[in-house]
Amino acid sequence: MLKFISSAFAIFLSVLTVCSAQAAISVPEGSRIALAFKEPGSDSVAAYHGDTFMIPASTQKLLTALAASLYFGPDWQFKTRMLAPKGAIQNGVLNGDLVLEFDGAPDLTRQALVNLLAYLKQQKVTQINGDILLDVSGYGGYDHGDGWSWNDLPICFTAPASAVVIDRNCVFAQLKANQLGAVAEPIIPAGQPITITSEARVVTQQEYYSGCDLRVDMNSSNNYHLTGCIPQQSGKPWPLSFAITDPTAWGVELVSWAARRADISLTGQVKAVRHIPDNLVELAHVPSAPLKKLLDRMLKRSDNLIADSLSRALGHYYLKRAASYAAGADAVRGILKNKAGIDLGSALLADGSGLSAHNLITAKQMLEVLDYIALHDDELKLIGLLPVAGMSGTLGSRGSVQNPPLVKNVTAKTGTLQNVSNLAGFITTASGKRKAFVLMANGLTFPPSVRQALKAHRIASPHYKFERQILEQIYREAPIEITE
C-alpha cells in the first residue's frame, strides 16, 4: 500500500507503509493508475507511479493549448484567403484562375465561402475566365493521426483536420427506424454531397444494447454503407453524423455550391492543387475566431478538430514544414522546451488532440505543464477556459465531481478513450489552496453486463468512485493510501 502524507509545511512524502488511520482506496480491478499533485511553484510532488508512461487521451490538449498560446498569442487567427493575378479583374470579368488558399481553419463554414466569393460581386465580377483552384499546398501527410482507432473514423469527433475544413468536415443525416426487422432507410438533407446506402435492420432496444450495433463502411469519395442494427425509435428517425473521409472532394463540391450561391460563373472547373501561379495578390480573406475563443471551445468541449488543426498549424508556422501530424507533435515539443523550459524527454506525441493510442506521457510531465500554466496564468489565462465541475464543459455532468466538496472546486481537462479515463487540472482545497493534479486511469475494463449498461447510459462508470475518493483526499489535504 502506498501512502501520501501531507503536512502543514506543504511537504509531501511518498512511502510504502501500512496505515490503519483510514480505509485504503482500491485501484479499479486490473487497471494502471498514475497520480501526481502539488502546489504550483513548489518543488515537492506527491506521486504514485508518477514516472510511468500512460495514454493521456484528451488531457494532451493541455500541451497543445499551452504551445499555441506561447507561439501564436491569444489574438492569432487562421486565414482562408482569396487570391488572383494582379490586374486580372477587367470589365466585370476575372481573367485567369481564382485561388482559394485553405489554411486549415477549423471553424470555416460554407456560408463564409459564399460571403468570401461575394467580394467579387462587390467588384462587379460575374464571371471567371479560368478555374477556381483550392490551394492545399500547406498541408502534407495523412489527414488522420497515427494510432487513431479505425472504427472511430466515420464519427464526427474524428473528423480530419485537413487543409480544407468546411462545416467541421462533418455531415448529419438520419435513418428511418420504425418497423422491427425492416431495413433502415437513409434520409440525406439537401445540399450534402455524400451518398448513404443501408442494409442496417431495425431491432429492439434490448437487442441493440446487447451487442448488435451500427457499422459503417466508407470510401474516399464520401460514400457510406451501413450494416448491422439500430434500435426501434417509435416513429422518430435515428440521428446520424459522419466525418468526411475525403476533405478535398468535400471542398470542391462546397466551393462549387458557394460559387453558384454567389452568382459567379466560370469557364473552367473547381479543383484542388498543390502548386499555384506566381504573382498573385490577395483580394479578401475570411479570418477564423481568435485563438483564445478556439481554445475555449477546445478545452471545454474537448474539441479534437480544433486541437489537431492548431497542432498541424504549429508544425507549419513554427517549423516551416508542411502541416502534418508529425510536424505538429515536433512543434509542440520544441515550443514547450524553448519557451517554457519543459523537456518532455521520452514522452511520445502522435497528434494534438489525444485521440491516438500511441501518445504516452507521465503524470509528472503533465503536472509540469499544469505548473507552468498556473504560474503564468496572468498572461496565458488558460485556467479560466477549463471545464468546471458541475458547471461547464466535459466536467458539467461527470459523475465523480457532481457533489460537494468537489463540485465547483475542480477545474480540469478530461481525457477519455476506450479503457482510458483521465483528469488533469486544478483543485481548490478546503483551506483555499490551489493544487495542480494529474490522475490517469488506463486499462479500465468491466464485465459485459456493465459495459452494456454503460453503452445504454443506464449507469455511471464504476471507476468514478475511485476518482472521487482520490480527489476528495486531495481536497482535504489528507493522506492518500492506495492499494492494488
Side-chain angles (χ1 to χ4, degrees):
M1 291 182 288
L2 183 64
K3 179 185 176 186
F4 298 103
I5 303 175
S6 62
S7 75
F9 302 102
I11 298 174
F12 297 96
L13 303 174
S14 300
V15 294
L16 285 170
T17 185
V18 177
C19 177
S20 59
Q22 64 176 57
I25 302 173
S26 297
V27 170
E29 179 186 3
S31 63
R32 300 184 306 282
I33 300 297
L35 171 66
F37 60 94
K38 64 175 293 189
E39 291 183 32
S42 170
D43 293 329
S44 298
V45 176
Y48 175 75
H49 295 166
D51 294 314
T52 299
F53 284 102
M54 306 283 283
I55 298 172
S58 284
T59 61
Q60 182 146 327
K61 292 181 175 71
L62 291 166
L63 280 67
T64 304
L66 178 54
S69 297
L70 290 171
Y71 185 69
F72 287 140
D75 298 321
W76 180 85
Q77 296 171 295
F78 291 90
K79 290 182 180 179
T80 304
R81 301 199 302 157
M82 183 167 67
L83 312 167
K86 187 175 182 179
I89 297 176
Q90 296 179 357
N91 301 319
V93 175
L94 192 156
N95 293 297
D97 296 330
L98 182 72
V99 175
L100 297 179
E101 181 185 74
F102 284 88
D103 194 30
D107 60 349
L108 183 69
T109 65
R110 65 180 72 192
Q111 185 57 50
L113 288 173
V114 174
N115 297 341
L116 182 61
L117 291 168
Y119 172 84
L120 296 177
K121 296 289 289 186
Q122 297 172 16
Q123 305 303 308
K124 312 300 183 184
V125 173
T126 58
Q127 180 173 316
I128 299 171
N129 283 341
D131 299 323
I132 297 180
L133 305 179
L134 279 59
D135 177 18
V136 296
S137 59
Y139 275 61
Y142 295 113
D143 286 328
H144 295 99
D146 290 347
W148 288 14
S149 177
W150 68 268
N151 55 327
D152 285 340
L153 297 184
I155 306 171
C156 282
F157 71 74
T158 59
S162 51
V164 176
V165 180
I166 304 172
D167 290 347
R168 297 185 55 79
N169 283 355
C170 174
V171 64
F172 296 92
Q174 295 175 317
L175 284 175
K176 288 184 180 179
N178 298 337
Q179 185 176 350
L180 282 175
V183 173
E185 180 183 345
I187 306 171
I188 305 174
Q192 300 288 18
I194 66 169
T195 61
I196 302 175
T197 54
S198 173
E199 297 178 59
R201 295 197 171 272
V202 181
V203 299
T204 64
Q205 296 274 339
Q206 181 178 1
E207 186 176 355
Y208 176 76
Y209 289 114
S210 295
C212 185
D213 53 9
L214 185 66
R215 297 184 293 274
V216 183
D217 295 320
M218 54 190 185
N219 64 27
S220 59
S221 299
N222 296 322
N223 300 318
Y224 305 84
H225 181 67
L226 309 180
T227 58
C229 309
I230 62 170
Q232 189 179 24
Q233 290 297 102
S234 302
K236 296 180 181 179
W238 180 255
L240 298 172
S241 61
F242 295 126
I244 293 303
T245 60
D246 189 338
T248 301
W250 173 251
V252 167
E253 291 285 350
L254 291 185
V255 168
S256 299
W257 171 87
R260 293 193 297 270
R261 287 293 298 269
D263 197 25
I264 302 294
S265 63
L266 64 155
T267 59
Q269 56 186 318
V270 179
K271 57 185 178 181
V273 296
R274 290 198 165 274
H275 300 282
I276 59 175
D278 296 327
N279 301 319
L280 298 176
V281 295
E282 180 180 315
L283 302 179
H285 72 265
V286 176
S288 73
L291 178 67
K292 56 189 173 185
K293 187 172 181 179
L294 294 176
L295 291 180
D296 184 71
R297 178 184 173 106
M298 183 188 87
L299 294 171
K300 282 193 174 66
R301 302 189 189 184
S302 203
D303 193 302
N304 297 315
L305 179 65
I306 292 176
D308 284 314
S309 295
L310 287 173
S311 175
R312 295 185 78 171
L314 286 170
H316 182 57
Y317 290 104
Y318 179 71
L319 296 177
K320 313 302 181 187
R321 286 158 48 184
S324 66
Y325 284 92
D330 289 345
V332 168
R333 182 186 293 272
I335 292 167
L336 294 185
K337 183 175 182 179
N338 295 326
K339 291 185 174 291
I342 299 172
D343 189 345
L344 293 178
S346 297
L348 195 160
L349 308 185
D351 59 20
S353 62
L355 275 172
S356 176
H358 292 181
N359 294 311
L360 290 171
I361 194 169
T362 71
K364 284 185 178 179
Q365 289 171 329
M366 187 68 74
L367 191 67
E368 192 175 356
V369 172
L370 291 170
D371 193 42
Y372 187 91
I373 288 173
L375 294 175
H376 298 82
D377 195 49
D378 285 347
E379 57 263 36
L380 294 173
K381 302 187 185 309
L382 288 177
I383 295 178
L385 305 182
L386 292 170
V388 178
M391 301 296 293
S392 62
T394 53
L395 280 188
S397 59
R398 192 176 180 96
S400 60
V401 294
Q402 291 305 293
N403 298 312
L406 301 179
V407 65
K408 299 183 182 180
N409 284 318
V410 175
T411 301
K413 183 69 197 75
T414 55
T416 305
L417 285 175
Q418 184 68 39
N419 310 116
V420 174
S421 184
N422 304 328
L423 278 178
F426 304 92
I427 185 167
T428 301
T429 69
S431 66
K433 297 176 183 176
R434 173 187 280 170
K435 291 188 178 181
F437 75 92
V438 180
L439 177 56
M440 293 179 164
N442 286 192
L444 291 169
T445 187
F446 309 105
S449 60
V450 175
R451 290 199 295 270
Q452 290 170 15
L454 287 169
K455 178 182 176 181
H457 305 289
R458 293 196 297 267
I459 63 171
S461 179
H463 90 282
Y464 282 164
K465 177 181 178 181
F466 169 83
E467 185 172 279
R468 183 180 66 253
Q469 289 174 321
I470 294 290
L471 294 177
E472 286 182 352
Q473 291 300 96
I474 297 175
Y475 170 82
R476 297 186 181 102
E477 301 180 79
I480 299 175
E481 184 184 348
I482 298 176
T483 182
E484 296 183 353

